[in-house]
Amino acid sequence: MGNILKPIKNKDQQLSELAQQVAALDSSPLYKIRIENNYKPVFGEGNPDANIMFIGEAPGAQEAETGRPFVGRAGKHLDSLLRSIDLQRDDVYITNIIKDRPPDNRNPRVQEIEIYSPFLREQIAIIQPKIIATLGRFAMEFIFTLFQLPLNGKKIGEIHGTALHTFSELGETTIFPLYHPAAVFYNRKLEAALKTDFVILKKLAWSAGYL
Ligand code: URA
């Protein structure tokens, strides 16, 4: 009786099982903070068949209160950038590297990245996005490492808006680094670059038949 076929799970089922594992992740130092503050884990949301996946750093206060990524001020800006290229949140998938809110919005720690990154990797493996658009330096550096792409000391200011095509066990993926939508709040000069990069992203996706 060793050959019983297991039912094939669809992407929604696979993602919801993964989300349950994140919800139960009591080995994370951020889990205790989640429970103490009545926060929610922020797994990610959007179209599981999306060709474009946006990856940010970690949830902020509003995200932890609602359990949804990019719903605060940075999220409103992301929504407007999406609208500017005729896309809606439902057309794409949006998530973060870290799935629980770090206290006081501090940078995620190495140990936290190690704990949460297998879940992001699995999300990518399930969704199989054709384009991964990283939001900010943190997500860019993480994804470059995950896809074994050399950064050669380059900063986000030098490579934002540039597409990098990769072939890996995660499939054929184009990595597209973007400034974080919140970066504009600290440096207004980045707004034009971010808008232009979204137009480039749209053209890239459209010309490849991904939209
Ligand atoms: N910043 C992020 O990187 N992610 C969010 O979900 C919100 C703000």
Side-chain angles (χ1 to χ4, degrees), residues 42 55-61 63 68-75 94-98 135 180-182:
V42 182
I55 300 177
E57 181 176 321
E63 288 76 19
R68 300 181 56 210
F70 282 96
V71 290
R73 195 172 168 216
I94 303 173
T95 191
N96 287 299
I97 305 169
I98 306 291
L135 299 170
H180 196 284

Side-chain angles (χ1 to χ4, degrees), residues 74-189:
K76 302 267 174 304
H77 191 213
L78 177 60
D79 289 348
S80 86
L81 288 159
L82 286 170
R83 271 198 306 275
S84 74
I85 54 167
D86 296 318
L87 289 181
Q88 299 180 356
R89 287 172 77 103
D90 286 351
D91 296 319
V92 299
Y93 193 89
I94 303 173
T95 191
N96 287 299
I97 305 169
I98 306 291
K99 315 295 194 199
D100 279 300
R101 184 188 181 205
D104 305 319
N105 295 341
R106 65 154 168 74
N107 283 342
R109 299 194 169 133
V110 174
Q111 185 205 5
E112 292 159 1
I113 297 169
E114 275 169 11
I115 286 181
Y116 290 94
S117 56
F119 295 98
L120 175 59
R121 195 188 180 287
E122 196 54 30
Q123 267 172 313
I124 297 171
I126 295 168
I127 295 168
Q128 298 186 353
K130 299 287 184 211
I131 300 176
I132 292 180
T134 56
L135 299 170
R137 176 185 68 85
F138 213 86
M140 175 191 80
E141 288 176 359
F142 175 81
I143 289 295
F144 269 62
T145 307
L146 183 67
F147 283 84
Q148 298 181 331
L149 292 168
L151 257 175
N152 295 328
K154 289 228 171 77
K155 304 272 185 256
I156 192 164
E158 297 166 87
I159 57 168
H160 69 89
T162 315
L164 285 117
H165 303 282
T166 66
F167 298 88
S168 71
E169 53 186 23
L170 289 166
E172 188 181 343
T173 323
T174 300
I175 311 298
F176 193 73
L178 291 162
Y179 283 120
H180 196 284
V184 169
F185 307 145
Y186 309 101
N187 183 354
R188 283 275 151 204
K189 288 188 194 144

